[in-house]
Amino acid sequence: MKLCIIKPPLPFGWTPVAPPILEYLAALTRRADPSIEIELISASATPDVFDTLECDLASISLLTPTSVPGYLIAEGLRARGIKVVFGGMHASAMPEEAKQHGDAVVIGEAESVWPTVLDDFRAGRLQPFYHGEQLPLDNLPTPLYGMLKGGHQFRIVNTSRGCPYNCTFCSVKPFFGEKIRFRPIDDVVRDVAAIPEKMYINGDENIWWQGFEQRAIDMFTALKGSGKKWMGFGSLRPVLTPEGSRMLNAARESGMLTVWVGWDAISDESLAAYKANGKIGVDRERAVRTLRDHGIDVSLFYMLGSREDSLEDFKRSIEVADRLGVSMHPSLVVPYPGTELRQQYEPYLYKDLGWEYYTGAYALFDHPDTAMTPEAREEAFYESSLELLSLPRVLRHMFKVPLSGFPYAHILSLMNQLPVRKGMKIAYEKWKAEKKTVRAKQLID
């Protein structure tokens, strides 16, 4: 039996990060049945393999912006007699939709049901839906790091699942639950040691949680001997707690170079509407400066164009980047299926826009401000994004990276921003061509 594990192509091209589901699901498969032949495919890196791909079963992991190409891949494989099982956040949020394009859907986490999926396939009794349980994380296999080819330079390590916060836009809590489940620290150290590269990414939703600062310190201390550099995603609230400074020092000593922070919104009104205050804390600018004072570079991720935002917020984001000395990575608001924000925005959604528009580069809903037309929001998004990612700004930011991280953090700063810059320019050209086509059609009509 041969299994192909597939990650559909990303909207704006290849990135150097290995999709974590590929090598992890390969490890789950190897544990369940070592006789199964496994092939891993990152479609962003190898988009032309599907016409000649040979396997018995294909597993395709879906995010919302990759669901449409994922369905197209599945339909092509099924036309050749290959069975397809879907998983991932989008398939879990929209299982009936996914089932229309495949033979089975794994809803939720895979560990509890994946051996059953494989057994059922071999027995010819594949079920339409499999419901995964949220199990303790004390027996997860090490991903088969290095199995995926294609020049990927960063592998991802996960150390926890779940999120207690109530941010309306987030898919993590609906998928992984509100209880934080931690992996044993020894298992994390084992996985980091297995990564072939000298740098890696901690892929947790949050590398440190308020109330669990000591756990973070213990983990960072255990990772100190790895000799590897890393980056991760962290909230701001724990940074300013009494244990915050000790935690940041431990993170820096363990090899942490960069933290990606959810800034979430430029305006306080939008931040409150998203219910994101809980993870942000009371003084987010001071928290960012504290991170930088501890020798950690900071990249802020945030959304623009919500129903509480104005066109001024697009310009203000550039001021924030200049004031704080950080890199900024915006997206337009995306009401993902399964989230509270989706429910709130349901009356205002543009129903004619399919999932292929859910990339963070399109206006997806009506706005109460008549100046915030879809085209105005999209154009302001590209203008501010391309300004933030302009080559002079990218280089200026590199020189603002704390010297304690030299040279790795400085190289990493370029590697984080230049691929995004390239993808943004590709998206912008595509957007301009689409608008030109629409205008030409309107003139003809």
Side-chain angles (χ1 to χ4, degrees):
M1 172 185 167
K2 181 178 178 182
L3 168 71
C4 284
I5 306 173
I6 300 167
K7 189 70 174 178
L10 297 169
F12 305 129
W14 179 85
T15 73
V17 179
I21 186 59
L22 298 180
E23 292 172 327
Y24 179 63
L25 193 58
L28 284 179
T29 303
R30 184 70 53 82
R31 172 186 279 183
D33 186 345
S35 70
I36 295 176
E37 182 183 355
I38 303 170
E39 183 175 356
L40 306 183
I41 300 170
S42 174
S44 293
T46 54
D48 302 322
V49 302
F50 297 105
D51 289 341
T52 58
L53 188 65
E54 295 294 337
C55 62
D56 303 295
L57 177 65
S59 171
I60 303 178
S61 180
L62 300 178
L63 297 173
T64 298
T66 67
S67 59
V68 172
Y71 293 153
L72 292 174
I73 291 169
E75 289 164 6
L77 296 177
R78 295 178 81 204
R80 294 166 42 218
I82 298 171
K83 297 290 187 181
V84 171
V85 55
F86 286 117
M89 286 190 175
H90 185 80
S92 296
M94 305 292 292
E96 296 290 344
E97 174 193 282
K99 179 61 181 65
Q100 295 175 23
H101 303 275
D103 299 284
V105 180
V106 173
I107 302 169
E109 301 176 38
E111 286 85 2
S112 65
V113 296
W114 189 240
T116 304
V117 173
L118 298 174
D119 288 344
D120 286 355
F121 170 75
R122 278 182 299 230
R125 57 170 186 261
L126 202 60
Q127 302 299 304
F129 300 104
Y130 294 86
H131 294 267
E133 300 176 49
Q134 293 177 353
L135 301 176
L137 306 181
D138 55 2
N139 191 32
L140 305 186
T142 298
L144 299 181
Y145 293 124
M147 187 175 186
L148 176 65
K149 308 305 178 184
H152 298 284
Q153 298 162 314
F154 297 100
R155 258 67 189 185
I156 289 180
V157 171
N158 290 106
T159 78
S160 68
R161 294 180 189 171
C163 181
Y165 298 126
N166 297 308
C167 305
T168 62
F169 52 78
C170 188
S171 301
V172 171
K173 187 172 182 176
F175 189 83
F176 287 124
E178 64 180 10
K179 180 182 178 181
I180 306 170
R181 289 168 289 150
F182 293 109
R183 294 186 63 200
I185 290 175
D186 288 346
D187 289 3
V188 175
V189 173
R190 176 200 70 197
D191 286 3
V192 169
I195 293 173
E197 294 84 11
K198 293 299 184 182
M199 283 197 287
Y200 66 94
I201 298 173
N202 183 317
D204 295 349
E205 170 69 12
N206 199 351
I207 55 176
W208 45 53
W209 298 95
Q210 184 173 10
F212 296 94
E213 291 90 350
Q214 187 58 50
R215 195 267 178 184
I217 292 169
D218 292 343
M219 184 177 70
F220 299 149
T221 302
L223 289 169
K224 187 175 178 180
S226 72
K228 296 180 179 180
K229 308 296 183 182
W230 63 279
M231 51 192 154
F233 301 85
S235 62
L236 291 173
R237 192 179 187 93
V239 170
L240 298 180
T241 61
E243 294 295 321
S245 183
R246 196 159 65 93
M247 181 183 70
L248 297 182
N249 286 332
R252 184 72 189 86
E253 291 170 4
S254 73
M256 185 181 191
L257 299 174
T258 299
V259 62
W260 292 323
V261 170
W263 194 252
D264 298 340
I266 297 299
S267 73
D268 292 337
E269 292 79 11
S270 291
L271 199 65
Y274 292 145
K275 301 180 183 178
N277 309 69
K279 68 170 185 171
I280 293 293
V282 295
D283 192 342
R284 51 180 175 169
E285 292 202 5
R286 183 162 71 92
V288 168
R289 293 190 181 98
T290 300
L291 285 163
R292 288 180 51 79
D293 289 345
H294 283 76
I296 298 171
D297 189 29
V298 181
S299 291
L300 302 182
F301 289 80
Y302 62 102
M303 295 167 292
L304 292 165
S306 78
R307 285 180 54 83
E308 286 75 28
D309 281 348
S310 69
L311 287 175
E312 283 301 310
D313 291 313
F314 291 83
K315 300 174 184 176
R316 287 175 58 205
S317 64
I318 298 172
E319 297 170 5
V320 171
D322 291 340
R323 185 167 64 251
L324 297 179
V326 298
S327 60
M328 302 278 283
H329 297 275
S331 75
L332 288 175
V333 178
V334 180
Y336 287 113
T339 65
E340 183 180 342
L341 188 66
R342 178 80 180 182
Q343 297 175 358
Q344 292 175 355
Y345 278 29
E346 189 69 38
Y348 315 109
L349 293 174
Y350 299 137
K351 307 296 185 182
D352 57 328
L353 298 183
W355 300 129
E356 65 271 26
Y357 289 91
Y358 280 59
T359 63
Y362 291 94
L364 301 171
F365 47 84
D366 192 33
H367 198 284
D369 184 350
T370 56
M372 293 276 274
T373 65
E375 186 164 336
R377 278 176 276 167
E378 291 166 4
E379 187 168 9
F381 162 72
Y382 280 115
E383 286 179 353
S384 60
S385 298
L386 291 171
E387 171 62 26
L388 288 165
L389 291 166
S390 65
L391 199 55
R393 281 183 174 274
V394 170
L395 294 175
R396 282 203 303 271
H397 175 72
M398 184 184 68
F399 287 108
K400 292 180 180 178
V401 173
L403 283 175
S404 57
F406 184 83
Y408 297 102
H410 298 73
I411 296 170
L412 189 58
S413 175
L414 292 178
M415 294 179 69
N416 280 341
Q417 295 185 80
L418 292 180
V420 177
R421 179 175 182 266
K422 181 180 178 181
M424 190 66 67
K425 292 176 74 174
I426 292 171
Y428 184 48
E429 293 304 318
K430 178 183 176 184
W431 178 81
K432 287 194 296 184
E434 289 174 351
K435 295 303 175 185
K436 186 176 180 180
T437 300
V438 169
R439 291 191 192 102
K441 186 176 183 300
Q442 288 172 340
L443 289 173
I444 293 172
D445 293 342

